[in-house]
Amino acid sequence: MSGTETQAPRRSLFQKYFAALFIAVVVPLLANGASEAWFGYRDQRKTLSRQLHTEARAAAGKIQGFLDDISDQLQWTVQLPWRDGMDERHRFDVLRLLRQVPAVVEVTLVDGNGVEKLHVSRVDPDVENSGIDRSKDPAVTGARAGGIWYGPVTLYQGSEPHMTIALAGAREINGVTVAEINLKLIWDVISAIRVGRLGDAFVLDRSGRLVAHPDISLVLRGDGDPAAARLKQLAQMTHAGGGETTEGANAENRPVIAAMAPIPGPGWTAFVEQPAAEALMPIRAALLRTAALLLAGTVFAAVLAYVLARRMTGPIARLEKGAQEIGAGHFDQKIEITTGDELEGLARRFNDMAAELALSQERSERIARLKRFLSPQVAELVEDSNQEALLDSHRAEVVVVFCDLRGFTGFSGAASPEEVMGLLQAYYEALGTIITRYEATLTCFMGDGVMLLVNAPVPCPNPALHAVRMAAEMQHSVQSLMNGWRERGHTIGFGVGLAKGPATVGRIGYEGRSDYTAIGNVVNLASRICAAAEDGQILVDAMVAAEVGSALALTPLGIRQLRGFAEGAAVFAVEPQHRDWTALTAAK
Amino acid sequence: MSRRVPVISGWPVFAQSGAICTYGPRLTESYRRLAYYVDRILNGANTADLPIEQPTKFELVVNLKTAKYLGIDIPQAVEARADEVIE
């Protein structure tokens, strides 16, 4: 498994988790934020509209109040009837009016017959009993018809906005008062109106002419002024909006939000305007707040998703790495996951599995080591029963079996190395099968010779007979092999020697490279007996012969002089009829 | 005064210093508007755009002391209209 193959799926798992978690948090958050912003915006706009309309009605009320104050004062001048000798009283009323109401520029009193009786002005000389017939004057007829009459706004001398208010008395004989009002004085009222911090109010008459504005020069400049025209346009837009608040430009061409309210008396309209920036500030602040919260929420969601995805994929990556390590045979690697969930359980299983694998591998290694000298069955028996103590060195009664080839040195000198190796291969294969079957312990190879132990480390019943039978089978097997070689002209033989006696047996060697061996006189004896054996012979010592007894036919060969054995040793030969070795082993 | 000639003027200060009566625009009001115009012009307004403003407040000052000294009767109608009466 290459690195890139393991990396790619992990990254995509992380991405999947990250995307899923992120979307799970962000989508509801965004939906909620957006709907809240939208409804909040609508509510705020409604509140703003309501607020501006209230302001507009208040402004209209104040303007109406200003005009009502004037007409209230005019009322005094039509209280008394026009009878002879009352002229002076009327004159006083007018003078008081001029004192009380600075906005009144001039007053004309008309008697019950519509004849002008008195004209008093602030700037012109008074005129008494001019006798002019004013009965057809629209101010007089208007006042008589409706009690009070508001004239159109006119620009006196091209700049001063003036308006005529006419008031009729309760009785016709009380006459009519026609007063010229200087509308400049509304400035005191209009400039006192504030909408919010920067908003203000202005008034247009029926024809859309500017009547009152905090910047009085706009009023005095009259028609044709671009600023006044802009206000007129704003007013038209507000009218068209059907009483809703309107966004437009004010006299200074700045964006504003405007609302209007009618002034019923003179048929004017009061407008309030507030700079859009100021009016919409709470809305903008709310939107900004929502946006900031959304942003913070998104960042939080990203961090959360990242952390959670990491938490999820991190242990999985560690598991994968751990599995890789175990696969590579590093069983001591522990996967450390402490998430306290199923992943930790999985990691624990992995660790347990690694431990089991380690144990099993150790066991198979031990068995492999044992198999170097024990037959597989015995090796597993020793391993399974955990009886390695059997391998510790101790003294035991053993049968030592030596066997080797005769004439091998000569053969190996004459034959090619391939032939030698082929012969040895076939020879050891034949021996190995038999050794394994008889569960003998192999101590060592010495060129063409082999040393075996029977009854150690695992004891067996009647070891001597068992060993002799094994030797017979080996003779049979090797002899049939050698028939082929002899035909090819090689003079090769095979001899076996056995001896029984006490020896010290045990494992010798160092960690990982140990052999099992026996040390004692019996080993030397078996070796010498083997050396004495001729081709096709199986020689045994007296101990073996005694133990085999009558089970097999043995031929005593008398005392043989053997090297290292001063007194010599009694040697017996196992010699079956016609060298038919199979007959010997059949009884096994 | 020494020639016993009654003086009438447009500016209230004359009445305060012995004119029998004055009638004219209230100057304090005009000065206030003047300040407004100065402010606009200094702030860069185009003077051609600034409208002419006419006085809206007028003042009638009557000096009863002078009238008494000169032996002139001030009619009640005039006294009633006076914004200021000096006695």
Side-chain angles (χ1 to χ4, degrees):
Chain A
M1 216 189 259
S2 80
T4 51
E5 274 170 352
T6 58
Q7 285 297 316
R10 180 156 62 230
R11 207 163 36 239
S12 94
L13 183 63
F14 173 78
Q15 280 165 357
K16 269 187 245 169
Y17 274 125
F18 180 81
L21 292 169
F22 185 71
I23 288 168
V25 178
V26 161
V27 166
L29 188 76
L30 280 180
N32 181 39
S35 68
E36 214 156 83
W38 168 242
F39 287 116
Y41 175 77
R42 273 203 350 196
D43 288 352
Q44 291 262 22
R45 278 308 291 245
K46 239 180 245 171
T47 309
L48 174 69
S49 171
R50 227 175 3 243
Q51 199 180 329
L52 279 179
H53 275 114
T54 309
E55 297 278 2
R57 276 196 296 276
K62 279 177 187 163
I63 301 296
Q64 185 66 53
F66 171 81
L67 296 174
D68 286 350
D69 274 352
I70 293 173
S71 48
D72 282 353
Q73 294 294 334
L74 289 178
Q75 201 72 51
W76 292 108
T77 63
V78 289
Q79 293 263 312
L80 294 174
W82 285 98
R83 293 208 184 94
D84 292 344
M86 299 287 276
D87 290 15
E88 201 55 25
R89 292 288 299 276
H90 281 287
R91 190 185 172 80
F92 262 105
D93 285 342
V94 170
L95 293 181
R96 263 198 222 103
L97 175 69
L98 288 175
R99 285 269 296 141
Q100 288 296 315
V101 190
V104 176
V105 180
E106 55 183 47
V107 181
T108 306
L109 297 186
V110 176
D111 72 5
N113 301 320
V115 176
E116 181 177 313
K117 297 291 284 182
L118 179 64
H119 176 85
V120 181
S121 167
R122 286 189 195 274
V123 287
D124 299 321
D126 298 355
V127 179
E128 280 182 56
N129 291 316
S130 65
I132 301 167
D133 181 12
R134 285 194 176 266
S135 57
K136 297 286 179 289
D137 192 322
V140 174
T141 54
R144 277 190 173 150
I148 187 159
W149 180 84
Y150 295 95
V153 177
T154 53
L155 284 182
Y156 177 72
Q157 292 185 347
S159 92
E160 303 285 293
H162 278 197
M163 181 179 70
T164 305
I165 298 179
L167 194 74
R171 294 185 291 161
E172 203 171 299
I173 198 167
N174 290 8
V176 176
T177 299
V178 181
E180 192 76 3
I181 310 295
N182 186 345
L183 294 176
K184 245 164 88 180
L185 280 98
I186 297 184
W187 185 80
D188 289 334
V189 178
I190 203 85
S191 63
I193 297 173
R194 277 267 160 265
V195 180
R197 198 165 53 79
L198 296 169
D200 49 31
F202 62 91
V203 178
L204 298 188
D205 74 357
R206 243 171 293 201
S207 67
R209 175 184 291 147
L210 190 61
V211 175
H213 192 277
D215 182 0
I216 198 158
S217 356
L218 292 181
V219 181
L220 302 186
R221 260 184 254 164
D223 291 340
D225 185 76
R230 274 198 292 275
L231 289 180
K232 199 167 173 178
Q233 198 193 355
L234 178 63
Q236 275 162 359
M237 282 163 60
T238 312
H239 266 298
E244 282 298 310
T245 49
T246 309
E247 285 173 56
N250 70 354
E252 285 140 353
N253 210 7
R254 296 226 178 88
V256 291
I257 294 179
M260 61 169 215
I263 304 170
W268 297 346
T269 314
F271 293 87
V272 291
E273 55 172 31
Q274 195 175 16
E278 188 194 356
L280 298 177
M281 201 153 66
I283 297 177
R284 199 164 303 153
L287 285 178
L288 272 178
R289 215 160 37 232
T290 307
L293 279 176
L294 281 182
L295 189 70
T298 306
V299 169
F300 179 72
V303 170
L304 195 73
Y306 183 83
V307 168
L308 283 179
R310 251 289 128 82
R311 274 232 186 127
M312 197 79 82
T313 54
I316 291 173
R318 280 208 289 285
L319 275 175
E320 192 191 331
K321 193 162 172 288
Q324 218 171 355
E325 291 283 344
I326 291 168
H330 301 140
F331 301 119
D332 50 342
Q333 282 284 325
K334 283 271 174 281
I335 302 171
E336 296 286 347
I337 292 174
T338 51
T339 50
D341 53 16
E342 289 88 339
L343 286 170
E344 186 178 335
L346 182 59
R348 214 161 36 229
R349 290 265 166 278
F350 258 101
N351 288 337
D352 291 351
M353 186 185 80
E356 289 289 334
L357 278 175
L359 275 179
S360 125
Q361 199 200 34
E362 208 179 312
R363 179 170 171 271
S364 64
E365 273 171 8
R366 269 203 311 274
I367 290 177
R369 271 203 303 279
L370 293 177
K371 277 185 186 164
R372 282 168 58 84
F373 46 88
L374 295 177
S375 65
Q377 306 93 301
V378 178
E380 281 186 28
L381 180 76
V382 169
E383 174 58 33
D384 287 346
S385 54
N386 205 10
Q387 287 173 335
E388 277 212 62
L390 278 174
L391 304 178
D392 293 345
S393 76
H394 63 281
R395 279 189 78 77
E397 193 77 12
V398 297
V399 179
V400 181
V401 181
F402 270 87
C403 63
D404 60 4
L405 293 173
R406 299 288 122 84
F408 179 73
T409 316
F411 161 74
S412 62
S416 69
E418 286 75 21
E419 263 184 313
V420 175
M421 289 304 281
L423 183 143
L424 281 179
Q425 186 70 32
Y427 165 68
Y428 278 123
E429 261 171 29
L431 287 188
T433 320
I434 296 161
I435 294 166
T436 302
R437 184 138 41 79
Y438 279 84
E439 300 180 2
T441 305
L442 174 73
T443 59
C444 61
F445 293 106
M446 295 156 293
D448 58 320
V450 174
M451 173 183 164
L452 304 168
L453 293 180
V454 177
N455 207 31
V458 184
C460 71
N462 209 349
L465 185 58
H466 187 73
V468 170
R469 279 193 174 135
M470 177 178 72
E473 198 162 328
M474 282 157 72
Q475 264 300 2
H476 172 72
S477 178
V478 174
Q479 287 301 331
S480 55
L481 255 181
M482 284 189 300
N483 283 337
W485 297 331
R486 286 193 193 107
E487 279 165 19
R488 276 180 259 161
H490 302 305
T491 52
I492 280 184
F494 179 65
V496 185
L498 292 84
K500 185 170 184 280
T504 302
V505 293
R507 206 157 34 169
I508 55 165
Y510 54 88
E511 178 60 36
R513 292 295 307 271
S514 58
D515 280 336
Y516 196 79
T517 193
I519 292 167
N521 208 31
V522 66
V523 178
N524 295 333
L525 181 59
S527 171
R528 299 297 170 234
I529 290 174
C530 173
E534 290 162 20
D535 175 35
Q537 257 193 333
I538 298 172
L539 299 184
V540 303
D541 75 338
M543 290 278 282
V544 173
E547 206 163 305
V548 170
S550 57
L552 291 170
L554 297 177
T555 314
L557 299 180
I559 303 293
R560 284 280 185 94
Q561 291 303 313
L562 300 171
R563 201 149 63 89
F565 293 87
E567 302 99 45
V571 174
F572 300 79
V574 183
E575 276 187 285
Q577 297 293 310
H578 312 294
R579 293 197 168 183
D580 183 7
W581 299 103
T582 46
L584 281 177
T585 60
K588 181 182 183 273
Chain B
M1 284 282 277
S2 55
R3 291 176 190 273
R4 305 179 70 83
V5 176
V7 174
I8 294 175
S9 170
W11 315 114
V13 280
F14 281 74
Q16 271 144 23
S17 41
I20 188 162
C21 73
T22 63
Y23 183 70
R26 187 178 287 171
L27 287 176
T28 51
E29 207 64 31
S30 300
Y31 286 131
R32 191 168 292 164
R33 294 306 299 162
L34 178 66
Y36 166 76
Y37 273 79
V38 170
D39 173 61
R40 292 285 295 261
I41 290 164
L42 290 181
N43 276 325
N46 185 359
T47 46
D49 288 346
L50 295 178
I52 294 166
E53 281 190 37
Q54 290 166 16
T56 48
K57 288 181 181 159
F58 297 89
E59 236 178 344
L60 175 64
V61 182
V62 177
N63 195 330
L64 284 183
K65 245 160 75 180
T66 307
K68 207 172 162 189
Y69 177 72
L70 296 177
I72 295 171
D73 258 355
I74 300 291
Q76 260 195 327
V78 174
E79 217 180 309
R81 255 181 103 167
D83 293 286
E84 197 183 333
V85 177
I86 298 164
E87 284 177 290

PDB file of all heavy atoms in Angstrom, chain A residues 116-141:
ATOM      1  N   GLU A 116     -65.712  99.537   2.755  1.00  0.00           N
ATOM      2  CA  GLU A 116     -64.478  99.626   3.554  1.00  0.00           C
ATOM      3  C   GLU A 116     -64.591 100.791   4.529  1.00  0.00           C
ATOM      4  O   GLU A 116     -64.887 101.926   4.141  1.00  0.00           O
ATOM      5  CB  GLU A 116     -63.272  99.815   2.628  1.00  0.00           C
ATOM      6  CG  GLU A 116     -61.967  99.882   3.406  1.00  0.00           C
ATOM      7  CD  GLU A 116     -60.748  99.991   2.511  1.00  0.00           C
ATOM      8  OE1 GLU A 116     -60.656  99.228   1.539  1.00  0.00           O
ATOM      9  OE2 GLU A 116     -59.899 100.854   2.815  1.00  0.00           O
ATOM     10  N   LYS A 117     -64.379 100.521   5.814  1.00  0.00           N
ATOM     11  CA  LYS A 117     -64.515 101.565   6.830  1.00  0.00           C
ATOM     12  C   LYS A 117     -63.145 102.063   7.290  1.00  0.00           C
ATOM     13  O   LYS A 117     -62.952 103.246   7.557  1.00  0.00           O
ATOM     14  CB  LYS A 117     -65.285 101.018   8.049  1.00  0.00           C
ATOM     15  CG  LYS A 117     -66.706 100.604   7.761  1.00  0.00           C
ATOM     16  CD  LYS A 117     -67.615 101.779   7.445  1.00  0.00           C
ATOM     17  CE  LYS A 117     -67.991 102.551   8.716  1.00  0.00           C
ATOM     18  NZ  LYS A 117     -68.914 103.677   8.384  1.00  0.00           N
ATOM     19  N   LEU A 118     -62.208 101.126   7.407  1.00  0.00           N
ATOM     20  CA  LEU A 118     -60.924 101.516   7.993  1.00  0.00           C
ATOM     21  C   LEU A 118     -59.825 100.633   7.420  1.00  0.00           C
ATOM     22  O   LEU A 118     -59.999  99.419   7.255  1.00  0.00           O
ATOM     23  CB  LEU A 118     -60.971 101.344   9.517  1.00  0.00           C
ATOM     24  CG  LEU A 118     -59.711 101.679  10.317  1.00  0.00           C
ATOM     25  CD1 LEU A 118     -59.366 103.170  10.209  1.00  0.00           C
ATOM     26  CD2 LEU A 118     -59.876 101.268  11.759  1.00  0.00           C
ATOM     27  N   HIS A 119     -58.694 101.225   7.123  1.00  0.00           N
ATOM     28  CA  HIS A 119     -57.538 100.461   6.638  1.00  0.00           C
ATOM     29  C   HIS A 119     -56.342 100.915   7.463  1.00  0.00           C
ATOM     30  O   HIS A 119     -55.978 102.082   7.450  1.00  0.00           O
ATOM     31  CB  HIS A 119     -57.314 100.723   5.145  1.00  0.00           C
ATOM     32  CG  HIS A 119     -56.094 100.059   4.600  1.00  0.00           C
ATOM     33  ND1 HIS A 119     -56.095  98.757   4.168  1.00  0.00           N
ATOM     34  CD2 HIS A 119     -54.829 100.518   4.433  1.00  0.00           C
ATOM     35  CE1 HIS A 119     -54.871  98.432   3.764  1.00  0.00           C
ATOM     36  NE2 HIS A 119     -54.086  99.508   3.913  1.00  0.00           N
ATOM     37  N   VAL A 120     -55.746  99.991   8.203  1.00  0.00           N
ATOM     38  CA  VAL A 120     -54.579 100.314   9.034  1.00  0.00           C
ATOM     39  C   VAL A 120     -53.438  99.412   8.587  1.00  0.00           C
ATOM     40  O   VAL A 120     -53.603  98.195   8.458  1.00  0.00           O
ATOM     41  CB  VAL A 120     -54.869 100.087  10.533  1.00  0.00           C
ATOM     42  CG1 VAL A 120     -53.651 100.461  11.371  1.00  0.00           C
ATOM     43  CG2 VAL A 120     -56.062 100.907  10.961  1.00  0.00           C
ATOM     44  N   SER A 121     -52.272 100.079   8.366  1.00  0.00           N
ATOM     45  CA  SER A 121     -51.123  99.295   7.925  1.00  0.00           C
ATOM     46  C   SER A 121     -49.931  99.642   8.792  1.00  0.00           C
ATOM     47  O   SER A 121     -49.870 100.702   9.393  1.00  0.00           O
ATOM     48  CB  SER A 121     -50.827  99.603   6.461  1.00  0.00           C
ATOM     49  OG  SER A 121     -49.567  99.097   6.118  1.00  0.00           O
ATOM     50  N   ARG A 122     -48.978  98.733   8.854  1.00  0.00           N
ATOM     51  CA  ARG A 122     -47.753  99.019   9.588  1.00  0.00           C
ATOM     52  C   ARG A 122     -46.844  99.937   8.783  1.00  0.00           C
ATOM     53  O   ARG A 122     -45.970 100.591   9.338  1.00  0.00           O
ATOM     54  CB  ARG A 122     -46.987  97.725   9.886  1.00  0.00           C
ATOM     55  CG  ARG A 122     -47.609  96.876  10.969  1.00  0.00           C
ATOM     56  CD  ARG A 122     -46.668  95.746  11.350  1.00  0.00           C
ATOM     57  NE  ARG A 122     -47.383  94.717  12.114  1.00  0.00           N
ATOM     58  CZ  ARG A 122     -47.544  94.774  13.442  1.00  0.00           C
ATOM     59  NH1 ARG A 122     -47.038  95.777  14.138  1.00  0.00           N
ATOM     60  NH2 ARG A 122     -48.210  93.831  14.057  1.00  0.00           N
ATOM     61  N   VAL A 123     -47.012  99.886   7.462  1.00  0.00           N
ATOM     62  CA  VAL A 123     -46.064 100.625   6.633  1.00  0.00           C
ATOM     63  C   VAL A 123     -46.697 101.779   5.851  1.00  0.00           C
ATOM     64  O   VAL A 123     -45.975 102.631   5.344  1.00  0.00           O
ATOM     65  CB  VAL A 123     -45.339  99.670   5.665  1.00  0.00           C
ATOM     66  CG1 VAL A 123     -44.331  98.820   6.413  1.00  0.00           C
ATOM     67  CG2 VAL A 123     -46.340  98.797   4.928  1.00  0.00           C
ATOM     68  N   ASP A 124     -48.035 101.768   5.764  1.00  0.00           N
ATOM     69  CA  ASP A 124     -48.699 102.850   5.028  1.00  0.00           C
ATOM     70  C   ASP A 124     -49.527 103.693   6.003  1.00  0.00           C
ATOM     71  O   ASP A 124     -49.910 103.204   7.074  1.00  0.00           O
ATOM     72  CB  ASP A 124     -49.641 102.266   3.960  1.00  0.00           C
ATOM     73  CG  ASP A 124     -48.866 101.438   2.948  1.00  0.00           C
ATOM     74  OD1 ASP A 124     -47.738 101.844   2.585  1.00  0.00           O
ATOM     75  OD2 ASP A 124     -49.363 100.351   2.556  1.00  0.00           O
ATOM     76  N   PRO A 125     -49.813 104.865   5.600  1.00  0.00           N
ATOM     77  CA  PRO A 125     -50.689 105.699   6.451  1.00  0.00           C
ATOM     78  C   PRO A 125     -52.094 105.100   6.525  1.00  0.00           C
ATOM     79  O   PRO A 125     -52.540 104.427   5.592  1.00  0.00           O
ATOM     80  CB  PRO A 125     -50.731 107.040   5.703  1.00  0.00           C
ATOM     81  CG  PRO A 125     -49.564 107.035   4.792  1.00  0.00           C
ATOM     82  CD  PRO A 125     -49.290 105.618   4.446  1.00  0.00           C
ATOM     83  N   ASP A 126     -52.772 105.344   7.656  1.00  0.00           N
ATOM     84  CA  ASP A 126     -54.129 104.807   7.840  1.00  0.00           C
ATOM     85  C   ASP A 126     -55.093 105.519   6.884  1.00  0.00           C
ATOM     86  O   ASP A 126     -54.891 106.675   6.503  1.00  0.00           O
ATOM     87  CB  ASP A 126     -54.608 105.055   9.278  1.00  0.00           C
ATOM     88  CG  ASP A 126     -53.708 104.337  10.278  1.00  0.00           C
ATOM     89  OD1 ASP A 126     -52.790 103.588   9.818  1.00  0.00           O
ATOM     90  OD2 ASP A 126     -53.897 104.526  11.491  1.00  0.00           O
ATOM     91  N   VAL A 127     -56.119 104.773   6.481  1.00  0.00           N
ATOM     92  CA  VAL A 127     -57.154 105.367   5.617  1.00  0.00           C
ATOM     93  C   VAL A 127     -58.500 105.126   6.301  1.00  0.00           C
ATOM     94  O   VAL A 127     -58.827 103.981   6.631  1.00  0.00           O
ATOM     95  CB  VAL A 127     -57.159 104.721   4.213  1.00  0.00           C
ATOM     96  CG1 VAL A 127     -58.263 105.352   3.366  1.00  0.00           C
ATOM     97  CG2 VAL A 127     -55.798 104.867   3.552  1.00  0.00           C
ATOM     98  N   GLU A 128     -59.236 106.204   6.551  1.00  0.00           N
ATOM     99  CA  GLU A 128     -60.542 106.061   7.208  1.00  0.00           C
ATOM    100  C   GLU A 128     -61.650 106.349   6.212  1.00  0.00           C
ATOM    101  O   GLU A 128     -61.551 107.272   5.404  1.00  0.00           O
ATOM    102  CB  GLU A 128     -60.644 107.043   8.376  1.00  0.00           C
ATOM    103  CG  GLU A 128     -59.919 106.528   9.617  1.00  0.00           C
ATOM    104  CD  GLU A 128     -60.068 107.494  10.784  1.00  0.00           C
ATOM    105  OE1 GLU A 128     -61.211 107.812  11.137  1.00  0.00           O
ATOM    106  OE2 GLU A 128     -59.022 107.928  11.303  1.00  0.00           O
ATOM    107  N   ASN A 129     -62.707 105.547   6.316  1.00  0.00           N
ATOM    108  CA  ASN A 129     -63.921 105.766   5.531  1.00  0.00           C
ATOM    109  C   ASN A 129     -63.636 106.056   4.055  1.00  0.00           C
ATOM    110  O   ASN A 129     -64.107 107.024   3.482  1.00  0.00           O
ATOM    111  CB  ASN A 129     -64.732 106.918   6.123  1.00  0.00           C
ATOM    112  CG  ASN A 129     -65.312 106.509   7.473  1.00  0.00           C
ATOM    113  OD1 ASN A 129     -65.821 105.396   7.614  1.00  0.00           O
ATOM    114  ND2 ASN A 129     -65.164 107.375   8.463  1.00  0.00           N
ATOM    115  N   SER A 130     -62.828 105.190   3.461  1.00  0.00           N
ATOM    116  CA  SER A 130     -62.508 105.386   2.043  1.00  0.00           C
ATOM    117  C   SER A 130     -63.750 105.193   1.170  1.00  0.00           C
ATOM    118  O   SER A 130     -63.823 105.683   0.056  1.00  0.00           O
ATOM    119  CB  SER A 130     -61.428 104.418   1.593  1.00  0.00           C
ATOM    120  OG  SER A 130     -61.919 103.105   1.664  1.00  0.00           O
ATOM    121  N   GLY A 131     -64.700 104.404   1.723  1.00  0.00           N
ATOM    122  CA  GLY A 131     -65.962 104.221   1.013  1.00  0.00           C
ATOM    123  C   GLY A 131     -65.888 103.231  -0.138  1.00  0.00           C
ATOM    124  O   GLY A 131     -66.835 103.055  -0.897  1.00  0.00           O
ATOM    125  N   ILE A 132     -64.749 102.558  -0.287  1.00  0.00           N
ATOM    126  CA  ILE A 132     -64.610 101.589  -1.384  1.00  0.00           C
ATOM    127  C   ILE A 132     -65.569 100.422  -1.137  1.00  0.00           C
ATOM    128  O   ILE A 132     -65.670  99.915  -0.020  1.00  0.00           O
ATOM    129  CB  ILE A 132     -63.150 101.079  -1.456  1.00  0.00           C
ATOM    130  CG1 ILE A 132     -62.206 102.234  -1.688  1.00  0.00           C
ATOM    131  CG2 ILE A 132     -62.988 100.004  -2.523  1.00  0.00           C
ATOM    132  CD1 ILE A 132     -60.742 101.920  -1.467  1.00  0.00           C
ATOM    133  N   ASP A 133     -66.241 100.010  -2.188  1.00  0.00           N
ATOM    134  CA  ASP A 133     -67.181  98.880  -2.062  1.00  0.00           C
ATOM    135  C   ASP A 133     -66.412  97.579  -2.214  1.00  0.00           C
ATOM    136  O   ASP A 133     -65.834  97.297  -3.263  1.00  0.00           O
ATOM    137  CB  ASP A 133     -68.260  98.985  -3.148  1.00  0.00           C
ATOM    138  CG  ASP A 133     -69.260  97.836  -3.004  1.00  0.00           C
ATOM    139  OD1 ASP A 133     -69.230  97.133  -1.943  1.00  0.00           O
ATOM    140  OD2 ASP A 133     -70.028  97.600  -3.948  1.00  0.00           O
ATOM    141  N   ARG A 134     -66.362  96.841  -1.150  1.00  0.00           N
ATOM    142  CA  ARG A 134     -65.615  95.561  -1.178  1.00  0.00           C
ATOM    143  C   ARG A 134     -66.558  94.363  -1.130  1.00  0.00           C
ATOM    144  O   ARG A 134     -66.123  93.246  -0.865  1.00  0.00           O
ATOM    145  CB  ARG A 134     -64.654  95.510   0.001  1.00  0.00           C
ATOM    146  CG  ARG A 134     -63.427  96.381  -0.162  1.00  0.00           C
ATOM    147  CD  ARG A 134     -62.391  96.009   0.888  1.00  0.00           C
ATOM    148  NE  ARG A 134     -61.150  96.763   0.722  1.00  0.00           N
ATOM    149  CZ  ARG A 134     -60.121  96.298   0.037  1.00  0.00           C
ATOM    150  NH1 ARG A 134     -60.190  95.148  -0.580  1.00  0.00           N
ATOM    151  NH2 ARG A 134     -59.013  97.035  -0.041  1.00  0.00           N
ATOM    152  N   SER A 135     -67.818  94.598  -1.387  1.00  0.00           N
ATOM    153  CA  SER A 135     -68.776  93.484  -1.238  1.00  0.00           C
ATOM    154  C   SER A 135     -68.538  92.367  -2.255  1.00  0.00           C
ATOM    155  O   SER A 135     -68.929  91.229  -2.056  1.00  0.00           O
ATOM    156  CB  SER A 135     -70.214  93.998  -1.372  1.00  0.00           C
ATOM    157  OG  SER A 135     -70.364  94.656  -2.630  1.00  0.00           O
ATOM    158  N   LYS A 136     -67.859  92.730  -3.362  1.00  0.00           N
ATOM    159  CA  LYS A 136     -67.591  91.679  -4.365  1.00  0.00           C
ATOM    160  C   LYS A 136     -66.186  91.075  -4.194  1.00  0.00           C
ATOM    161  O   LYS A 136     -65.798  90.178  -4.928  1.00  0.00           O
ATOM    162  CB  LYS A 136     -67.699  92.279  -5.788  1.00  0.00           C
ATOM    163  CG  LYS A 136     -69.080  92.801  -6.112  1.00  0.00           C
ATOM    164  CD  LYS A 136     -70.054  91.646  -6.364  1.00  0.00           C
ATOM    165  CE  LYS A 136     -71.452  92.162  -6.670  1.00  0.00           C
ATOM    166  NZ  LYS A 136     -72.122  92.751  -5.470  1.00  0.00           N
ATOM    167  N   ASP A 137     -65.446  91.640  -3.235  1.00  0.00           N
ATOM    168  CA  ASP A 137     -64.086  91.128  -2.968  1.00  0.00           C
ATOM    169  C   ASP A 137     -64.182  89.652  -2.553  1.00  0.00           C
ATOM    170  O   ASP A 137     -64.983  89.290  -1.691  1.00  0.00           O
ATOM    171  CB  ASP A 137     -63.479  91.967  -1.823  1.00  0.00           C
ATOM    172  CG  ASP A 137     -61.994  91.719  -1.676  1.00  0.00           C
ATOM    173  OD1 ASP A 137     -61.579  90.542  -1.852  1.00  0.00           O
ATOM    174  OD2 ASP A 137     -61.258  92.687  -1.394  1.00  0.00           O
ATOM    175  N   PRO A 138     -63.373  88.753  -3.195  1.00  0.00           N
ATOM    176  CA  PRO A 138     -63.475  87.324  -2.824  1.00  0.00           C
ATOM    177  C   PRO A 138     -63.217  87.082  -1.335  1.00  0.00           C
ATOM    178  O   PRO A 138     -63.788  86.153  -0.761  1.00  0.00           O
ATOM    179  CB  PRO A 138     -62.403  86.660  -3.691  1.00  0.00           C
ATOM    180  CG  PRO A 138     -61.534  87.750  -4.215  1.00  0.00           C
ATOM    181  CD  PRO A 138     -62.372  88.999  -4.260  1.00  0.00           C
ATOM    182  N   ALA A 139     -62.359  87.929  -0.719  1.00  0.00           N
ATOM    183  CA  ALA A 139     -62.083  87.746   0.711  1.00  0.00           C
ATOM    184  C   ALA A 139     -63.368  87.968   1.501  1.00  0.00           C
ATOM    185  O   ALA A 139     -63.699  87.187   2.409  1.00  0.00           O
ATOM    186  CB  ALA A 139     -60.997  88.726   1.165  1.00  0.00           C
ATOM    187  N   VAL A 140     -64.105  89.022   1.133  1.00  0.00           N
ATOM    188  CA  VAL A 140     -65.322  89.361   1.872  1.00  0.00           C
ATOM    189  C   VAL A 140     -66.387  88.291   1.616  1.00  0.00           C
ATOM    190  O   VAL A 140     -66.985  87.753   2.558  1.00  0.00           O
ATOM    191  CB  VAL A 140     -65.817  90.759   1.449  1.00  0.00           C
ATOM    192  CG1 VAL A 140     -67.163  91.070   2.112  1.00  0.00           C
ATOM    193  CG2 VAL A 140     -64.782  91.817   1.804  1.00  0.00           C
ATOM    194  N   THR A 141     -66.580  87.951   0.357  1.00  0.00           N
ATOM    195  CA  THR A 141     -67.622  86.947   0.066  1.00  0.00           C
ATOM    196  C   THR A 141     -67.245  85.600   0.676  1.00  0.00           C
ATOM    197  O   THR A 141     -68.103  84.892   1.212  1.00  0.00           O
ATOM    198  CB  THR A 141     -67.815  86.797  -1.456  1.00  0.00           C
ATOM    199  OG1 THR A 141     -66.536  86.524  -2.043  1.00  0.00           O
ATOM    200  CG2 THR A 141     -68.393  88.038  -2.078  1.00  0.00           C
TER     201      THR A 141
END
